[in-house]
Amino acid sequence: MTTILLARHGQASFGQENYDQLSELGGIQAQMLGQHYATTQRRIDAIFTGSLVRQQDSAHHFWQRYQSFADTDSSNKPAIDMSAPDSYVLPQFDEFNHKDVFVKSDSAFSTRASIAAEIAKADVPMTRLAELFDNAMRRWHGGDYDQDYIESWSQFNERAKQALEQIRIQVTTLNLNRDSTVLVFTSGGIIAAITSQLLQQGSQTAYQINKSLVNTGVTSITLKEQNSRLLSLNEYSHLFANGKRFVTWR
């Protein structure tokens, strides 16, 4: 069986002008995962990412630390060639458009200034921002306003299916053996959608799973012929090596 490891990216920049960049902690989290896999001799045969900066940078941090600790055979082909993005970027693993989901949740939030004005009223602005985003996610997952979005939940869910199929194709194309392990750096929405599909559940289950996913937490799936099976969900023991402060959800 081929094992697929779906890793959520490291902590990004929630609430900042550009969310799609790792925070300093986010880079460290990815490095911690790399060191953990290297020191526990977890062989990684191939690495893929979505096209988003936070996903690719998580892979870079992971691979740099993994290589520095792993006892690898130099004769083997490396799991990823960082100089050739076309060889490892799979856009199907991109996250949904969170800006679109947020803006479409309320006509009052059509601009960044209007959002900033709303959260400034709160005693704890970041908590208020999280509440507003939660409301937006509920609306998107509900399916009653699909026509409003650039990519509705149902369309996104179908893309998540295609993402997993892309990994099947890559495993065959790379001629990986049946005991190979493939690591994919993606985002919470994709992981939650795929997990919900494997559990034969719907959008509300996916939404609840998404809220629980930790930065650089890993969900494991096994592939055997045309069958996929969930092995584990949101495993993040690597983050406890230096204390609980490394565990983040946003």
Side-chain angles (χ1 to χ4, degrees):
M1 292 183 294
T2 300
T3 300
I4 309 301
L5 305 176
L6 300 177
R8 187 185 175 203
H9 58 77
Q11 184 189 59
S13 301
F14 184 72
Q16 303 301 310
E17 181 72 28
N18 180 17
Y19 174 73
D20 192 22
Q21 57 184 348
L22 292 181
S23 66
E24 181 179 359
L25 176 58
I28 293 172
Q29 290 168 329
Q31 292 169 14
M32 291 172 74
L33 181 62
Q35 183 173 335
H36 174 69
Y37 279 175
T39 56
T40 56
Q41 299 184 348
R42 184 69 186 262
R43 192 185 77 247
I44 303 297
D45 298 290
I47 299 174
F48 296 97
T49 79
S51 69
L52 301 177
V53 173
R54 60 188 183 273
Q55 298 168 343
Q56 294 188 59
D57 284 354
S58 293
H60 291 188
H61 282 286
F62 169 92
W63 185 237
Q64 183 180 43
R65 184 59 63 90
Y66 182 88
Q67 284 186 301
S68 66
F69 278 85
D71 182 16
T72 56
D73 183 350
S74 60
S75 65
N76 291 338
K77 182 179 178 180
I80 188 169
D81 180 0
M82 289 297 179
S83 67
D86 287 348
S87 69
Y88 64 81
V89 169
L90 301 176
Q92 292 86 348
F93 282 97
D94 287 1
E95 184 62 292
F96 61 88
N97 188 324
H98 69 279
K99 291 182 180 178
D100 184 62
V101 169
F102 197 117
V103 169
K104 300 294 176 56
S105 67
D106 192 321
S107 58
F109 300 147
S110 60
T111 66
R112 184 175 181 83
S114 61
I115 297 170
E118 172 62 28
I119 65 175
K121 300 174 185 177
D123 292 335
V124 184
M126 290 302 290
T127 299
R128 178 57 177 157
L129 178 61
E131 291 173 350
L132 293 175
F133 187 70
D134 186 64
N135 292 338
M137 288 288 285
R138 290 179 185 277
R139 183 182 190 272
W140 183 60
H141 275 275
D144 296 327
Y145 305 94
D146 284 357
Q147 69 280 0
D148 292 353
Y149 300 102
I150 293 173
E151 183 178 43
S152 67
W153 157 255
S154 59
Q155 291 170 326
F156 176 76
N157 194 44
E158 181 60 33
R159 176 157 66 82
K161 290 181 183 179
Q162 296 170 6
L164 191 57
E165 183 58 30
Q166 275 297 310
I167 293 300
R168 290 184 187 278
I169 293 171
Q170 292 295 331
V171 167
T172 300
T173 301
L174 295 173
N175 197 29
L176 298 178
N177 64 52
R178 60 184 299 175
D179 295 321
S180 60
T181 298
V182 177
L183 174 63
V184 183
F185 279 96
T186 179
S187 295
I190 287 286
I191 296 172
I194 291 174
T195 300
S196 182
Q197 291 164 16
L198 294 176
L199 295 174
Q200 298 183 340
Q201 298 296 311
S203 65
Q204 293 307 310
T205 297
Y207 174 60
Q208 294 303 322
I209 291 173
N210 193 1
K211 291 200 296 183
S212 73
L213 297 177
V214 169
N215 292 115
T216 67
V218 178
T219 294
S220 302
I221 296 169
T222 57
L223 300 182
K224 186 176 182 181
E225 297 175 352
Q226 293 302 307
N227 297 317
S228 307
R229 183 164 63 93
L230 182 66
L231 192 61
S232 65
L233 175 66
N234 198 30
E235 204 286 311
Y236 57 95
S237 60
H238 60 282
L239 295 175
F240 285 101
N242 291 301
K244 197 173 181 179
R245 65 189 178 90
F246 288 96
V247 180
T248 60
W249 287 263
R250 293 190 187 277

